[in-house]
Amino acid sequence: MESFLRSRYQKSAVLILGVCILVLAMIASILYGLQNFKIETAVQSFTGFNGSTEHLIIQNTRVPRAITAAFVGGSLAVAGVLLQALTRNPLASPSVFGINSGAALFIILALFFFGSIFSFTDLMWVGFVGAGMTAMIVYVLGSAGRGGMSPVKVTLSGAAVAAFASSLTSLLMLVDNKTLEEALYWLIGSVSGRDLKHAVMIIPYLVGGWICAGMMTGSLNLMSLGDDVAKSLGQRIVWVKVGIVLVVVLLAGGSVALTGPIGFVGIIIPHIARYLVGFDHRWIVPYSIVLGAIFLVAADLISRFLLMPKEVPVGVATAVIGVPFVIAIVRRRAHE
């Protein structure tokens, strides 16, 4: 499949355009919602803060929400790129590794046994640890037996672990109604209600994952040719795969810990990026960061107006967009 953008100049120009669109989307996310603001009010909230309700909403709600959506969207998209390269599965996403289910299970366990003792920050780190441990378990299961790790074994292991974690989560929520009420805040996936200090705790991990993913693009290009070809060209396949898993834990684990499970970003965006720039991961990774950020910021903005004056969680909005996209991918591959 030929890319839509062929020359380096075109790819660079569109990437810069994407960054500009992202900035505009974040500005719109700050200004519009249940209560709309003028751009002057947003600027004054930082240059001449007066403690008014408008300035408080902008500083404590809208800005953290836009920043969180941008970083989480870009991170989930890159995690999808890495998982699709690792498993050679076009529908691979953090949910395939059971990361979403694992993080949710650990949060539910913390709520079930410790209840109100754990703060939002504590639960965020619990989710991060849960995502990492789940990914490690899936990697070990997918690497066991003859032949080491294979795309099919990893996919099946991830599906099995995700199903087990989801079942145990449901059981705990049914046993304790209080846990159910508190857990719903995490399980639906939302960028609202996140404080900037929470985002600042996780963002360094996400940026570190972006940098690591950018450093692995050459290896990802060789791995797309198959393990045998990559080995013949000097790639240490086992270490590359371990590196991919660790970076996915940083990106997807950090994202889920901050916002809860938000689906379909890691499926949709890599396909759009490949359509635009082809199969060169040196372009796919930066494009996925920008496109993923635009997608989640825009989805969050749209979700505010679907059922006004109530807001639809952004995880629901991405699912509404993502399901038809996944069906289209499956139908196209079946036709091919």
Side-chain angles (χ1 to χ4, degrees):
M1 181 184 72
E2 292 187 1
S3 61
F4 181 77
L5 304 173
R6 298 183 180 181
S7 69
R8 181 183 295 270
Y9 171 79
Q10 289 177 326
K11 294 174 182 178
S12 300
V14 173
L15 184 61
I16 294 173
L17 176 62
V19 173
C20 295
I21 294 173
L22 173 59
V23 172
L24 293 176
M26 293 181 70
I27 292 174
S29 177
I30 294 171
L31 298 181
Y32 301 112
L34 182 60
Q35 186 174 356
N36 297 329
F37 303 105
K38 295 181 179 179
I39 186 69
E40 294 84 359
T41 306
V43 174
Q44 289 172 1
S45 68
F46 292 94
T47 60
F49 181 74
N50 58 17
S52 65
T53 303
E54 291 82 0
H55 287 186
L56 287 172
I57 292 175
I58 291 172
Q59 284 199 12
N60 298 332
T61 302
R62 295 287 179 83
V63 171
R65 188 168 179 170
I67 292 174
T68 299
F71 277 94
V72 169
S75 299
L76 290 175
V78 175
V81 170
L82 296 177
L83 286 175
Q84 289 175 17
L86 176 68
T87 63
R88 301 193 199 102
N89 179 354
L91 297 180
S93 66
S95 59
V96 170
F97 247 47
I99 290 177
N100 292 357
S101 301
L105 174 59
F106 271 66
I107 290 171
I108 299 303
L109 287 171
L111 291 172
F112 185 82
F113 288 107
F114 300 101
S116 58
I117 297 177
F118 275 33
S119 65
F120 185 96
T121 302
D122 296 329
L123 291 175
M124 187 173 65
W125 289 115
V126 167
F128 205 160
V129 172
M133 292 187 64
T134 304
M136 293 299 109
I137 292 172
V138 171
Y139 181 82
V140 171
L141 292 176
S143 302
R146 295 182 178 180
M149 188 178 70
S150 67
V152 175
K153 287 166 64 177
V154 170
T155 302
L156 292 176
S157 298
V161 171
F164 173 78
S166 297
S167 299
L168 189 54
T169 298
S170 299
L171 175 62
L172 292 172
M173 292 170 65
L174 288 173
V175 170
D176 187 353
N177 290 330
K178 184 179 179 181
T179 301
L180 172 61
E181 295 175 0
E182 295 180 3
L184 286 176
Y185 185 74
W186 288 91
L187 297 180
I188 56 177
S190 176
V191 297
S192 65
R194 271 53 177 178
D195 194 281
L196 189 58
K197 68 178 182 180
H198 298 138
V200 170
M201 292 178 188
I202 296 295
I203 284 175
Y205 294 94
L206 303 183
V207 174
W210 294 356
I211 295 172
C212 293
M215 295 171 62
M216 298 173 64
T217 54
S219 298
L220 293 174
N221 284 341
L222 293 177
M223 283 189 60
S224 64
L225 302 175
D227 288 358
D228 293 337
V229 174
K231 287 180 181 178
S232 67
L233 295 174
Q235 287 296 306
R236 298 182 177 180
I237 297 299
V238 174
W239 288 109
V240 172
K241 292 179 178 179
V242 170
I244 290 175
V245 172
L246 293 176
V247 175
V248 168
V249 169
L250 282 178
L251 295 173
S255 299
V256 173
L258 183 58
T259 64
I262 297 177
F264 295 97
V265 180
I267 298 178
I268 297 173
I269 300 303
H271 286 276
I272 297 176
R274 282 191 287 269
Y275 170 76
L276 291 174
V277 299
F279 292 92
D280 188 349
H281 286 85
R282 292 174 298 178
W283 288 104
I284 291 175
V285 169
Y287 261 78
S288 294
I289 293 173
V290 175
L291 293 175
I294 293 172
F295 177 78
L296 197 58
V297 171
D300 177 51
L301 181 59
I302 293 171
S303 68
R304 302 175 195 179
F305 297 95
L306 292 178
L307 295 176
M308 288 281 279
K310 294 184 179 180
E311 291 188 5
V312 176
V314 69
V316 177
T318 58
V320 171
I321 299 172
V323 169
F325 190 91
V326 170
I327 293 174
I329 294 174
V330 173
R331 287 177 60 87
R332 187 182 68 180
R333 289 184 65 85
H335 177 72
E336 292 175 353

